[in-house]
Amino acid sequence: DATAHWSALMASGRAGDRRAYDRLLVETGDWLNRYFRRRLPPAHVEDAVQETLIALHHRRHDFDCSQPLRPWLAAIARFKWVDRLRLMERERAAPAGETSVASHEIDVVSCHAVRGLLCQLRPAQADAIRMVKLDGLSINEASALSGQSQSLVKINIHRGLKRLAARCNEAVPA
């Protein structure tokens, strides 16, 4: 299991094993490269990978090595992905030298809205959606973390998204 392997490499690296830490950075860098290639234009992938690896390095002492590393890394990557999307939006929308606060405000409001919607779901549905759709984990990884079968993870995602869509449709006036 890669995530347990990465946790062990992180523990060894924090204990002073430079080779283990270097190996962790290479392996997680490869995973991050695949993660960001699915989400960003090619010109932004390498920067997003490097920013995430730097964040991992700076936050490495906050990580609990008894836990799986991949979900922790995926959460960092998701934040870096959102940061990169914001940067791309500012570059596209603002003339040189200007920045937009409106984009940040929209992101904050959207995050609160999504959090509120997920709270209306059954916990298993919200967790499955959060892990797969927001954190970018595979069905296999979400299954291993949640203890649910892969089929149940898929069912929880499907039913949860269906329920969210119904809630959103209720909120829109006809």
Side-chain angles (χ1 to χ4, degrees):
D1 178 42
T3 195
H5 170 70
W6 288 352
S7 295
L9 289 175
M10 175 68 87
S12 296
R14 285 189 357 197
D17 184 344
R18 180 75 178 148
R19 289 170 47 136
Y21 191 67
D22 288 346
R23 185 167 176 193
L24 173 70
L25 293 178
V26 168
E27 291 181 19
T28 56
D30 291 343
W31 183 84
L32 288 166
N33 202 319
R34 290 188 302 274
Y35 177 91
F36 288 119
R37 274 198 324 250
R38 292 188 315 245
R39 291 167 175 79
L40 292 171
H44 291 271
V45 170
E46 186 59 32
D47 287 341
V49 169
Q50 292 304 314
E51 289 168 4
T52 307
L53 288 174
I54 289 168
L56 173 125
H57 177 72
H58 287 295
R59 304 292 306 211
R60 70 189 181 279
H61 294 292
D62 295 336
F63 177 68
D64 177 358
C65 292
S66 69
Q67 298 297 312
L69 184 98
R70 191 173 304 193
W72 186 74
L73 179 63
I76 294 171
R78 186 182 76 229
F79 288 119
K80 294 302 177 184
W81 171 61
V82 170
D83 289 346
R84 181 62 42 177
L85 292 177
R86 287 181 188 139
L87 175 66
M88 290 167 42
E89 180 63 26
R90 282 193 301 266
E91 288 173 350
R92 185 176 63 80
E98 290 185 26
T99 58
S100 172
V101 176
S103 174
H104 179 67
E105 182 180 344
I106 290 168
D107 292 340
V108 170
V109 170
S110 298
C111 285
H112 286 290
V114 169
R115 186 176 295 131
L117 286 169
L118 288 176
C119 287
Q120 297 176 25
L121 299 177
R122 292 188 175 115
Q125 292 173 342
D127 290 343
I129 290 170
R130 196 174 289 112
M131 284 187 281
V132 175
K133 299 299 183 182
L134 299 178
D135 293 344
L137 299 180
S138 69
I139 297 294
N140 259 356
E141 292 166 335
S143 172
L145 285 173
S146 67
Q148 301 173 9
S149 69
Q150 292 178 24
S151 297
L152 187 54
V153 170
K154 291 177 188 177
I155 289 168
N156 278 327
I157 291 170
H158 174 75
R159 289 181 181 166
L161 290 176
K162 188 174 176 181
R163 189 167 183 195
L164 288 178
R167 293 282 184 172
C168 290
N169 286 336
E170 290 171 5
V172 176

